[in-house]
């Protein structure tokens, strides 16, 4: 264990330019940034002095696009923000529109939505787990994670008609009813998951090299997390309760039994454990709901043209990465006057410099992996 | 029965009958050179396809299965592709060093082949300080990596090269110490004698626990020395894109690639020679029937079987473990491997003096 | 006392080393299991398995307009799909047919579909009041010329089915 505090204080004294320092561009094309993130890193040997993230390589002006689309149309675009939790993004938008129009959603639609959300969360965390292991240099877990993830994607494909950008949630419910095979396939997945989850611990969690790479690295205190506005597993890893499903329950989350996973260590390993345990909590939710999908309509009756009353509407949900807020300003027309997304990835990225200053390059990659960044979510 | 030594003797006799001594020597050298180069070519092809298949099966994939029967010619197709690819030299690179580095890497690997006994009485150069020669030459390989990293004029390459320098220099120590354990037991630096000393049992069985510790240390150290995962910090794909060979392309890249695999083969061959008895067949006490069957298997098969087993072990490591961080890598060497192998060599020495080994 | 401390240190040290080796061996056992159990392989050899590859019936591949055996479709040319589309993927070109009893009637001339713009959001199909269009399960859309992705969905000479308003 090297003394992190010592190094951090040394780093604070080192000037960022001049002899002994050099700058390196990590990204926009780099195997570890999982997308087109561009980090300008100032190094002293292997030690990181400063990190400056450069954004905008995948900016598609989704917020501006949404202003010219109707309330039914704009939801599909949000699948392209955080594509790994596309369902949850769509869900947030649909909820916000429903809030504005004061539509009552049938209970069947609510249950289907929550089921889809939780399956998406598991799929997202599976992918993160594989990518995390790949970031620290183990390639095999990536493929093992994809085995389970593919099963979820197949379920999605059967019910929603697409694997990644489903556009399944619409204002008033879901686009169409679940496929007749849905329940059986989800149960198959639950079995597969329970059969395979112990391999995750065998391959990665228990591995001494992995633990050494993660423990005591990228430590964030609760104060840091709050002051940078981090949410999701990053905040919970430092002991900050931030699960929107518990704090501001939406849909039927207040009736469900699940725990908010909290760790207090605040290091990379805590964030890693949080996500692994969150998968188990999601499995718990799916298990509670899969046999109890109520009969009824899957979509509330809505008008052909949706119009939100004049006013401002905000809805937050818990995506796989943290808190996603949708803020709609309506002038009473068929399109939003202004729309703003509070994406979890942006706040989580902003803490990166604080987190890994003074560490080694290898720590940067490992710690960045635990932030679970999805770059299109940051840039929008 | 045909064996490598017999073929070599027949060629030697025919040459000495046809030519005078000087020409015989020259022609034999040429033959040896061609044999080494072709062995390298074959090794590269075999090891690459082996690695890809091993990794694929561990990763629940099929692996290459298009070119040739069951995809076995895939690496040949890859080599052809690399041969016709343009080998670029980046602007601002030190052109001479940049182009020289892959050849040095390759030459080091070739030099290391000299003292290895591939089969019974079949060795290019049975010099009496074989073990010393191997550990001396293998440390030159760091120069080629440093050269490549420096000459590329790329910060990623330089970082990779510097990591590799620190790593190889440290791990030489415990690799050397674990090799010394066997030297102490044998009392000879000559590889052929080390093999012969294992006629009644391999050192890993004869040397009790110290030999096993030495073997484990040796495997860890050579994995690090050949820059293989979990010690692949010089390449560190997710950190440094490709480390010291980021800027290389085409055949120059292929040479680095080939040198890596050749080095893996050589260190595994050395490991097999020192700990697993080289070409010596597996014998159990006085089970004469069993021993005779084992003797019937050609010595080259034994040698390559053991070597490939060790290669598989190293590949197994690579496709299971995450990568260490640079300071942990050095910690592992200086705080764990080095003290352990030092204590171990003491134990081995005591054992050798007291004749506790079989 | 110092001796005891040393013993404790050595004990922890050896425990560390063995714990580490054990954790590594667990991982190797797992990969070794997969190395020897080829039944677990999940690779799908895609172009080879075209015959057995069945996409679910809800899969959104491209928008098509089904025609019956009399070359009749159900599209009335109401442009609901065009209005519902977020990307301007669909363009409905209408014309006026003369019905047998001499009246003018609005009908589609062409329903132009830009596959290259389509995001498969399914909103047009939801919007269609007469179920004239649906999603097909095709997915091999790559072509050499982008112009080929602009498709006319109604077949030449087709007309609207009787009874569809």
């Amino acid at each position: 264990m090297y003394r992190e505090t010592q190094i951090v204080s040394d780093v604070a004294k080192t000037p960022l330019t001049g002899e002994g320092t050099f700058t390196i561009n990590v990204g926009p094309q780099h195997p570890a940034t999982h997308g087109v993130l561009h980090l300008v890193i100032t190094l002293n040997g292997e030690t990181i002095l400063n990190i400056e993230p450069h954004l905008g390589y995948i900016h598609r002006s989704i917020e501006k696009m949404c202003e010219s689309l109707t309330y039914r149309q704009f939801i599909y675009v949000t699948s392209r923000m955080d594509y790994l939790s596309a369902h949850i993004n769509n869900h947030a938008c649909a909820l916000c529109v429903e809030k504005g129009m004061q539509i009552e959603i049938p209970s069947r639609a609510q249950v289907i939505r929550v089921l889809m959300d939780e399956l998406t969360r598991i799929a997202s965390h599976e992918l993160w787990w594989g990518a995390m292991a790949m970031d620290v240099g183990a390639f095999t877990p990536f493929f093992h994670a994809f085995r389970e993830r593919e099963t979820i994607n197949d379920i999605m494909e059967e019910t929603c008609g697409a694997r990644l950008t489903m556009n399944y949630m619409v204002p008033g419910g879901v686009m169409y009813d679940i496929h007749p095979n849905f329940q059986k396939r989800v149960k198959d997945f639950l079995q597969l998951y329970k059969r395979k989850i112990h391999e995750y611990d065998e391959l990665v969690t228990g591995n001494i090299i992995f633990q050494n790479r993660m423990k005591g690295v990228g430590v964030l205190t609760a104060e840091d997390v709050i002051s940078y506005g981090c949410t999701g597993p990053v905040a919970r890893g430092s002991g900050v309760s931030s699960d929107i499903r518990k704090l501001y329950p939406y849909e039927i989350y207040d009736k469900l039994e699940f725990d908010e996973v909290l760790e207090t260590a605040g290091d990379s390993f805590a964030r890693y454990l949080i996500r692994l345990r969150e998968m188990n909590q999601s499995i718990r939710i799916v298990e509670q709901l899969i046999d109890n999908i109520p009969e009824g309509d899957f979509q509330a009756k809505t008008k052909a043209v949706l119009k939100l009353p004049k006013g401002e509407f905000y809805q937050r949900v818990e995506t796989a990465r943290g808190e996603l807020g949708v803020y709609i300003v309506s002038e009473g027309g068929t399109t939003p006057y202004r729309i703003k997304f509070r994406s979890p990835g942006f706040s989580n990225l902003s803490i990166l410099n604080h987190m890994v200053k003074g560490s080694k390059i290898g720590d940067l990659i490992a710690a960045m992996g635990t932030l679970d960044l999805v770059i299109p979510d940051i840039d929008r | 029965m045909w064996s490598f030594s017999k073929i070599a003797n027949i060629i030697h006799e025919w040459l000495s009958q046809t030519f005078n001594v000087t020409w015989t020597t020259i022609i034999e050298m040429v033959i040896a050179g061609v044999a080494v180069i072709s062995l390298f070519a074959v090794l590269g092809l075999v090891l690459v396809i082996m690695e890809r298949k091993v990794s694929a099966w561990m990763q629940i994939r099929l692996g290459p299965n298009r070119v040739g029967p069951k995809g076995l010619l895939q690496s040949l197709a890859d080599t052809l592709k690399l041969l016709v690819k343009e080998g670029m030299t980046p602007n601002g690179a030190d052109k001479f060093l940049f182009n020289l580095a892959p050849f040095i890497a390759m030459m080091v690997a070739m030099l290391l082949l000299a003292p290895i006994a591939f089969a019974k009485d079949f060795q290019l150069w049975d010099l009496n300080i074989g073990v010393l020669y191997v550990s001396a030459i293998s440390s030159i390989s760091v120069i080629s990596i440093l050269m490549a990293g420096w000459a590329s004029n790329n910060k990623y390459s330089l970082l990779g090269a510097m990591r590799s320098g620190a790593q190889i220099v440290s791990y030489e120590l415990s690799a050397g110490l674990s090799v010394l354990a066997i030297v102490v037991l044998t009392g000879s630096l000559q590889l052929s004698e080390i093999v012969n000393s294992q006629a009644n049992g391999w050192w890993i069985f004869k040397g009790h626990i110290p030999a096993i510790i030495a073997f484990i240390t040796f495997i860890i150290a050579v994995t690090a020395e050949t820059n293989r995962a979990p010690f692949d910090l010089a390449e560190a794909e997710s950190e440094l894109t490709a480390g010291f060979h980021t800027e290389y392309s085409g055949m120059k890249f292929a040479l680095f690639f080939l040198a890596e695999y050749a080095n893996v083969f050589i260190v595994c061959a050395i490991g097999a020679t020192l700990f697993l008895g080289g070409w010596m067949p597996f014998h159990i006490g006085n089970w004469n029937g069993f021993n005779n069957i084992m003797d019937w298997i050609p010595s080259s098969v034994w040698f390559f079987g053991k070597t490939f087993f060790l290669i598989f072990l190293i590949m197994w490591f690579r496709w299971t473990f995450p990568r260490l961080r640079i300071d942990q890598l050095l910690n592992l060497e200086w705080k764990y491997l080095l003290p352990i192998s030092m204590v171990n060599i003491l134990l081995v020495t005591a054992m050798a003096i007291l004749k506790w080994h079989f | 006392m110092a001796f005891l401390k040393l013993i404790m240190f050595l004990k922890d040290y050896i425990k560390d080393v063995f714990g580490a080796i054990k954790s590594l061996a667990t991982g190797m056992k797992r990969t070794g299991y997969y190395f020897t159990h080829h039944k677990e392989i999940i690779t799908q050899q895609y172009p080879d398995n075209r015959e057995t590859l069945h996409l679910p019936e809800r899969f959104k591949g491209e928008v098509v307009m089904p025609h019956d055996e009399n070359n009749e479709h159900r599209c009335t040319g109401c442009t609901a799909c065009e209005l519902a589309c977020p990307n301007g993927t669909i363009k409905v070109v209408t014309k006026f047919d003369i019905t047998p009893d001499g009246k003018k009637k609005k009908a589609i001339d062409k329903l132009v579909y830009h596959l290259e713009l389509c995001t498969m959001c399914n909103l047009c199909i939801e919007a269609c009041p007469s179920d004239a269009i649906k999603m097909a399960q095709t997915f091999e859309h790559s072509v050499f010329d982008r112009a080929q992705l602009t498709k006319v969905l109604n077949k030449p000479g087709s007309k609207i089915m009787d009874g569809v308003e």
Side-chain angles (χ1 to χ4, degrees), chain A residues 144-160:
Chain A
H144 291 220
F146 262 71
R147 173 185 48 202
E148 278 85 71
R149 185 178 145 77
E150 277 303 288
T151 324
I152 297 179
N153 277 355
D154 286 344
I155 295 169
M156 296 290 182
E157 192 179 15
E158 204 172 40
T159 291
C160 317

Side-chain angles (χ1 to χ4, degrees), chain A residues 102-119:
Chain A
Q102 290 171 339
I103 309 173
E104 278 293 315
I105 314 149
S107 61
R108 184 179 177 84
Q110 284 187 333
V111 171
I112 295 173
R113 280 178 169 189
V114 170
L115 270 172
M116 288 300 179
D117 275 9
E118 295 310 318
L119 286 176

Side-chain angles (χ1 to χ4, degrees), chain B residues 228-239:
Chain B
R228 301 270 306 174
F231 310 102
D232 60 340
L233 283 110
E235 293 170 37
E237 187 174 323
S238 59
E239 292 159 28

Side-chain angles (χ1 to χ4, degrees), chain A residues 2 22-26 30-32 45-46 134-140 143-144 147 207 209 212-213 217 361-363 365, chain B residues 55 58-61 155-156 159 163 229-230 232 237-241 318-328 331 335:
Chain A
Y2 68 101
F22 64 105
T23 314
I24 207 167
N25 287 300
V26 175
H30 189 279
E46 283 255 348
M134 205 149 84
D135 278 345
V136 291
F139 286 84
T140 306
F143 295 89
H144 291 220
R147 173 185 48 202
N207 191 302
I209 302 174
N212 278 336
R213 283 295 300 274
V217 167
I361 301 177
D363 283 343
I365 307 298
Chain B
S55 71
M58 285 180 179
Q59 295 169 346
I60 44 179
R61 297 184 287 124
K155 288 166 191 166
Y156 284 121
L159 272 173
R163 282 177 174 193
D232 60 340
E237 187 174 323
S238 59
E239 292 159 28
L240 304 178
T241 59
R318 172 165 182 181
W319 298 109
T320 309
F321 300 143
R323 185 185 306 116
L324 279 79
R325 201 172 53 210
I326 180 74
D327 54 315
Q328 289 168 350
N331 268 356
K335 287 193 185 163

Side-chain angles (χ1 to χ4, degrees), chain B residues 157-177:
Chain B
S157 305
L158 185 61
L159 272 173
M162 285 308 174
R163 282 177 174 193
S164 167
Q167 179 181 338
I168 292 182
V169 167
S170 335
Y171 277 84
E172 281 281 297
L173 288 170
S174 46
L177 282 175

